[in-house]
């Protein structure tokens, strides 16, 4: 969407500049009819038609997105160079109205003032002066009687002063663009940070309840429209209150961060882990069945038991979990309620176990004893 908007802006600018060139060509045709050119009117029309046609090719290139392969996708500098070269050629064949052609240079410079960098603007200003002086040199060699030094001097000085004004204006525009660009990036970064804080848990860096509910809604919509399933796992760190009471809340925060890191490492990119609050966490396992979900939680629990902290090397941590599979068209609240009930059952049976719901069976896995089945 953003790229298409930029392309539309580039195309509009290129069309406007092309219309400006066309207006200048109409003026040249009128001047040729009135005899202000030393060449025949047909030659003037041919030169101006080539000038306008080639400039129109820039519009076509931008229209078909061919400009995107170039560093400067606006093709500003190539368009300006082409028009200035053509103006210099036309100026070489004019009589009495050469100062009018200088207005064409200024028109081209005004377009560049909005797009070129300060360095590019200075470089193009020098190029413009070289084009003008080259035309004068050509006229002085071919038609010396058309050159009046005092007149050309004042015209040249006036033109240089006008160019300086355009350059100063362009410099201000360039500085303004840089300032606005920096502010835009800062604002974009601030908005991104705010959005990140709105969906993440500040302590653990996991997603929070708000984002969890949004993702559950998306998963539910997918499951209701197609043969797509997902599993919700409710996890709880066993005896976490005792950890806080015995070792302090700063240590408890460290434990929560360690578990969040472990959980993130155990999940696929398509899965999601969130902190619901306190020591409770929720997993959304996409396109997963109950057996695979149990395997994920079991690996997570095994690794969690092996985690040690320097402040409490003797501390062995465990977790309990309840696993429920989404059953269309149930609500999000219903599947969370079922998973929460399974977690409650797991904690009621002594903790350090995973309770899995299966259609008409509930299979209870205990890490310290062999699996048992309850109706």
């Amino acid at each position: 969407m953003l790229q298409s908007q930029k392309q539309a802006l580039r195309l509009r600018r290129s069309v406007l500049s092309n219309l400006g060139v066309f207006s200048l060509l109409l003026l040249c045709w009128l001047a040729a009819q009135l005899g202000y050119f030393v060449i025949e009117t047909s030659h003037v029309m041919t030169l101006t038609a080539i000038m306008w046609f080639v400039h129109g090719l820039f519009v076509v290139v931008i229209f078909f997105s061919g400009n995107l392969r170039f560093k400067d996708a606006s093709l500003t500098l190539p368009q300006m160079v082409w028009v200035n070269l053509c103006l210099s050629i036309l100026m070489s064949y004019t009589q009495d109205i050469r100062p009018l052609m200088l207005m064409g240079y200024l028109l081209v410079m005004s377009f560049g003032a909005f797009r070129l960098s300060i360095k590019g603007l200075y470089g193009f200003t020098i190029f413009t002066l070289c084009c003008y002086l080259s035309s004068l040199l050509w006229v002085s060699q071919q038609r010396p009687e058309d050159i009046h030094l005092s007149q050309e001097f004042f015209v040249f000085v006036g033109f240089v002063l006008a160019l300086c004004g355009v350059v100063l204006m362009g410099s201000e525009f360039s500085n303004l663009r840089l300032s606005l660009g920096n502010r835009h990036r800062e604002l974009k970064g601030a908005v991104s940070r705010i959005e990140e804080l709105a969906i993440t848990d500040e302590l653990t860096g996991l997603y929070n309840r708000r984002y969890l509910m949004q993702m559950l809604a998306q998963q539910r919509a997918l499951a209701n429209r197609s043969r797509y399933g997902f599993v919700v796992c409710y996890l709880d760190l066993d005896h976490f209150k005792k950890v806080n009471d015995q070792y302090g809340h700063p240590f408890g925060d460290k434990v929560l961060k360690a578990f969040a890191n472990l959980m993130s490492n155990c999940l696929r990119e398509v899965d999601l882990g969130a902190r619901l609050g306190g020591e409770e966490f929720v997993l959304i396992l996409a396109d997963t069945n109950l057996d695979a979900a149990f395997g994920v939680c079991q690996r997570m629990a095994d690794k969690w038991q092996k985690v040690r902290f320097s402040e409490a090397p003797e501390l062995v941590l465990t977790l309990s979990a309840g696993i429920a599979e989404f059953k269309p068209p149930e609500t999000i609240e219903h599947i969370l309620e079922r998973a929460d009930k399974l977690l409650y059952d797991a904690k009621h049976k002594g903790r350090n176990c995973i309770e899995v719901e299966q259609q008409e069976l509930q299979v209870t896995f205990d890490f310290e004893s062999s699996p048992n089945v309850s109706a």
Side-chain angles (χ1 to χ4, degrees), residues 199 204-208 211-212 260 263-264 267-268 270-276 281-285:
I199 64 173
T204 62
L206 296 173
Y207 292 113
N208 58 17
Y211 191 73
L212 171 70
M263 188 171 72
S264 298
L267 297 178
R268 304 168 299 172
V270 295
D271 298 328
L272 182 142
R275 183 188 179 199
L276 201 60
F281 300 83
V282 174
L283 307 180
I284 302 177
L285 304 182

Side-chain angles (χ1 to χ4, degrees), residues 156-209:
F156 177 77
V157 172
F159 180 59
V160 170
L161 291 177
L163 278 182
C164 290
V166 174
V167 169
L168 290 175
M169 180 182 66
S171 300
E172 289 299 315
F173 281 132
S174 180
N175 291 330
L176 182 61
R177 283 200 311 271
L178 290 175
S179 177
L180 290 176
N182 291 332
R183 291 186 181 182
H184 176 71
R185 284 188 290 271
E186 292 175 359
L187 180 60
K188 188 177 179 180
V191 171
S192 298
R193 179 57 180 162
I194 291 173
E195 291 176 347
E196 180 182 351
L197 291 175
I199 64 173
T200 57
D201 175 62
E202 186 175 1
L203 176 64
T204 62
L206 296 173
Y207 292 113
N208 58 17
R209 182 185 182 92

Side-chain angles (χ1 to χ4, degrees), residues 307-322:
V307 173
R308 295 294 181 270
F309 298 90
S310 58
E311 299 89 336
E314 76 287 352
L315 181 64
V316 177
L317 299 167
T318 61
L319 63 83
S320 298

Side-chain angles (χ1 to χ4, degrees), residues 244-262:
N244 274 334
D245 293 341
Q246 184 173 352
Y247 300 99
H249 288 278
F251 179 76
D253 291 343
K254 184 176 181 180
V255 170
L256 291 174
K257 292 179 182 178
F259 180 72
N261 184 61
L262 182 149

